[in-house]
């Protein structure tokens, strides 16, 4: 769960995006930047290092992201770096994604299957979930061979587990008792 710092920064950048009429673009850029940060933890260490000057940190950000993201996203990176919150950036992006999804009526559903789903099955699942929820659905797929078969859906602190592994564990528990 996100802390107060992440929530505060996410709310600030969300408000900025709405205010400047660039919410979609700004959020997309923040999400993509967070993905890069997540894949490169050493870069976060560099931005968090007290031995490197703020000017050097800003120069590094300019070299990497300059011309590739909007002025608003770049300034947000500068503020986060200047306030020594680079280590919270991925958490800020997660909070921002939650705010963005709520604002746009989107539910992010994490789907775990033993094998990758076909495109037809994904579309069928999305259509069913959208008809039940009345909201737009985005799927985040994960494969886990240990569930043997079936499907696990996670969204909004709800888990629907119809995996073969879960059924076997249920049978095992009832046999033991």
């Amino acid at each position: 769960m996100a802390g107060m710092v992440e929530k505060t920064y996410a709310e600030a950048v969300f408000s900025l995006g709405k205010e400047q009429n660039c919410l979609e673009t700004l959020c997309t850029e923040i999400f993509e930047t967070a993905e890069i940060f997540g894949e490169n933890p050493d870069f976060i260490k560099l931005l968090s290092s007290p031995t490197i000057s703020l000017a050097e940190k800003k120069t590094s950000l300019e070299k990497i992201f300059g011309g590739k993201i909007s002025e608003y996203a770049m300034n947000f990176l500068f503020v986060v770096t200047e306030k020594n919150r680079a280590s919270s950036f991925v958490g800020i992006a997660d909070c921002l994604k939650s705010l963005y999804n709520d604002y746009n009526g989107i539910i992010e559903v994490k789907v775990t299957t033993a094998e990758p789903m076909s495109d037809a099955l994904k579309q069928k699942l999305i259509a069913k979930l959208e008809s039940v929820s009345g909201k737009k659905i985005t799927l985040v797929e994960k494969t886990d061979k240990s569930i043997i078969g079936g499907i696990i859906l996670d969204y909004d602190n709800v888990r629907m587990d119809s995996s073969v592994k879960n059924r076997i564990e249920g049978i095992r528990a009832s046999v033991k008792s």
Side-chain angles (χ1 to χ4, degrees), residues 11-26:
E11 287 171 349
V13 77
F14 183 79
S15 294
L16 174 71
K18 279 178 37 182
E19 201 175 278
Q20 298 301 318
N21 229 3
C22 63
L23 184 63
E24 179 90 23
T25 303
L26 182 57

Side-chain angles (χ1 to χ4, degrees), residues 144-157:
D144 180 357
K145 293 194 181 298
S146 75
I147 70 167
I148 304 168
I151 191 168
I152 301 171
L153 303 176
D154 291 300
Y155 61 94
D156 292 339
N157 296 322

Side-chain angles (χ1 to χ4, degrees), residues 22 46 54 71 94 152:
C22 63
L46 172 100
L54 180 59
E71 180 184 343
D94 289 342
I152 301 171

Side-chain angles (χ1 to χ4, degrees), residues 86-130:
S87 62
S88 300
F89 192 81
V90 173
I92 293 167
D94 289 342
C95 282
L96 180 61
K97 184 173 260 187
S98 180
L99 290 169
Y100 178 82
N101 286 348
D102 287 346
Y103 181 76
N104 289 296
I106 299 171
I107 298 175
E108 188 174 274
V109 178
K110 293 181 177 100
V111 180
T112 306
T113 54
E115 297 289 326
M117 293 191 303
S118 68
D119 287 339
L121 183 58
K122 284 184 225 175
Q123 294 309 313
K124 191 174 178 182
L125 179 60
I126 289 170
K128 181 67 176 175
L129 292 171
E130 286 179 344

Side-chain angles (χ1 to χ4, degrees), residues 25-43:
T25 303
L26 182 57
C27 286
T28 301
E29 291 172 345
I30 299 292
F31 302 153
E32 290 171 356
T33 304
E35 207 171 289
I36 292 167
F37 280 19
E39 293 168 359
N40 299 288
D42 288 341
F43 188 59

Side-chain angles (χ1 to χ4, degrees), residues 55-96:
E56 290 175 303
K57 292 174 186 179
K58 285 184 174 183
T59 300
S60 295
L61 288 169
E62 274 289 346
K63 283 182 181 176
I64 295 168
F65 298 107
K68 296 178 183 129
I69 60 176
S70 67
E71 180 184 343
Y72 296 118
M74 183 62 82
N75 286 338
F76 184 68
L77 283 174
F78 288 160
V79 168
V80 168
T81 302
E82 188 176 318
K83 299 293 183 185
N84 294 317
R85 301 294 188 196
S87 62
S88 300
F89 192 81
V90 173
I92 293 167
D94 289 342
C95 282
L96 180 61

Side-chain angles (χ1 to χ4, degrees), residues 40-50 52:
N40 299 288
D42 288 341
F43 188 59
I44 292 175
K45 287 179 187 171
L46 172 100
L47 294 176
S48 302
S49 174
I52 299 173

